[in-house]
């Protein structure tokens, strides 16, 4: 039985105005604000961070951002930095999401710089990795994931590594309704934990949470979360409504 506390993070992507985000956050706070069995993070769009931070104040729900720039400040039009997020009480930041990699050209070296910057500024990075359908069909899943993990985490010190969260999100399972089987997911999660062991030592690897993401829903969550190396979920669609997100928290608490 793992000693890692389960973590459920909602990635709201480009959904919800600040007002709509507050409504959802209020519903979550009312239901789980003091439920300590599972760590809970919500990641609204930048425009809702401040108002959601106020709504979450006093609850155990943590606030995450969906991206950030590696530099603390400067001439980077349209970007947001770690100190800016910290000033809004953000504790987590999703980095290298496949949508950022595919649609905005984010590379492993860029993810690496952001990861190092997040850790330097006491933000917990949720570093996303995962293969495309073509890569899975070519039997290169593990090779792809290995490169993303090794390049993305280059230079992370052993002392900081336990603050990392890794999210395994097979690209073909994101927003498609196609979920990885629990065996497929567990295989990759165990592989990632092995890699983390080589990078940071086994005891450190045992402390790092590895989340599954990709069409995770209340119906398929119990089986995924029962796997030895699946420590929670990074939830897209099912995090946009209180009912389904709360059901996922309940599934994690029961696993
Ligand atoms: P879905 O849960 O909508 O498939 O999205 C997963 C995801 O990309 C979370 O970051």
């Amino acid at each position: 039985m793992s000693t890692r506390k389960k973590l459920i993070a909602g990635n709201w992507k480009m959904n919800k105005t600040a007002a709509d985000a507050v409504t959802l956050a209020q519903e979550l706070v009312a239901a789980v604000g003091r439920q300590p069995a599972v760590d809970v993070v919500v990641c609204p769009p930048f425009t809702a961070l401040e108002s959601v931070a106020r709504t979450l104040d006093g609850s155990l729900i943590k606030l995450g951002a969906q991206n950030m720039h590696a530099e603390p400040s400067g001439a980077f039009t349209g970007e947001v930095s770690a100190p800016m997020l910290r000033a809004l009480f953000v504790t987590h930041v999703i980095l290298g999401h496949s949508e950022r990699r595919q649609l905005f050209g984010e590379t492993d070296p860029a993810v690496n710089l952001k990861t190092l910057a997040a850790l330097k500024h006491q933000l917990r990075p949720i570093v996303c990795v995962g293969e495309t359908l073509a890569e899975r069909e070519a039997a290169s899943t593990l090779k792809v994931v290995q490169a993303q993990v090794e390049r993305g985490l280059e230079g992370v010190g052993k002392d900081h590594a336990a603050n990392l969260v890794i999210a395994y999100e097979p690209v073909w399972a994101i927003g498609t309704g196609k979920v990885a089987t629990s065996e497929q997911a567990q295989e990759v999660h165990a592989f990632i934990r092995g890699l983390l062991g080589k990078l940071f030592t086994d005891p450190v690897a045992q402390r790092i949470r590895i989340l599954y993401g990709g069409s995770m829903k209340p119906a398929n969550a119990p089986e995924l979360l029962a796997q030895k190396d699946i420590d929670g979920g990074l939830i897209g669609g099912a995090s946009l409504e209180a009912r389904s997100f709360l059901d996922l928290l309940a599934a994690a608490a029961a696993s």
Side-chain angles (χ1 to χ4, degrees):
M1 187 65 203
S2 149
T3 53
R4 295 178 296 275
K5 193 171 174 182
K6 291 279 195 304
L7 168 62
I8 300 288
N11 176 7
W12 297 358
K13 306 191 179 183
M14 196 175 72
N15 293 291
K16 300 196 183 289
T17 62
D20 292 342
V22 165
T23 302
L24 175 55
Q26 282 168 339
E27 290 174 311
L28 298 179
V29 168
V32 299
R34 299 194 176 280
Q35 129 93 278
V38 178
D39 284 338
V40 185
V41 180
V42 293
C43 306
F46 288 132
T47 47
L49 285 174
E50 185 167 13
S51 46
V52 170
R54 246 182 258 123
T55 309
L56 299 182
D57 190 23
S59 86
L60 291 175
I61 302 176
K62 299 276 199 319
L63 187 61
Q66 300 174 18
N67 182 28
M68 60 164 236
H69 196 276
E71 290 297 324
S73 64
F76 302 102
T77 301
E79 293 290 315
V80 169
S81 74
M84 293 172 183
L85 297 177
R86 289 273 297 165
L88 294 178
F89 306 101
V90 169
T91 54
H92 292 67
V93 58
I94 298 170
L95 297 177
H97 191 280
S98 63
E99 286 150 18
R100 297 229 46 96
R101 294 177 189 263
Q102 293 201 317
L103 304 173
F104 302 98
E106 216 162 275
T107 60
D108 287 323
V111 175
N112 180 240
L113 289 177
K114 293 178 182 201
T115 302
L116 295 173
L119 290 169
K120 183 172 167 195
H121 292 279
Q122 285 91 43
L123 287 167
R124 288 173 178 256
I126 302 175
V127 180
C128 301
V129 299
E131 82 287 2
T132 62
L133 185 58
E135 288 163 343
R136 176 160 284 270
E137 285 172 346
S140 42
T141 296
L142 299 183
K143 198 176 89 196
V144 167
V145 167
Q146 175 165 4
Q148 290 172 334
V149 169
E150 288 178 350
R151 292 182 192 150
L153 303 185
E154 207 174 312
V156 172
K158 214 164 53 182
D159 297 347
H160 286 123
N163 293 322
L164 293 168
V165 177
I166 308 296
Y168 169 57
E169 300 205 310
V171 178
W172 49 270
I174 294 178
T176 58
K178 272 189 218 163
V179 65
T181 65
S182 49
E183 292 78 18
Q184 284 173 326
Q186 167 57 26
E187 182 198 11
V188 180
H189 281 235
F191 175 73
I192 292 172
R193 199 173 308 284
L195 284 175
L196 296 173
K198 284 189 202 130
L199 292 174
F200 304 120
T201 74
D202 274 340
V204 172
Q206 288 303 325
R207 291 173 58 198
I208 299 175
R209 265 110 37 115
I210 308 175
L211 313 182
Y212 170 81
S215 297
M216 199 188 231
K217 308 241 164 354
N220 57 36
E223 201 187 325
L224 287 160
L225 293 169
Q227 303 303 309
K228 181 166 156 285
D229 290 291
I230 300 186
D231 306 315
L234 182 55
I235 319 295
S239 73
L240 295 175
E241 283 182 18
R243 186 67 271 149
S244 45
F245 193 63
L246 293 171
D247 286 348
L248 282 163
L249 299 183
S255 68

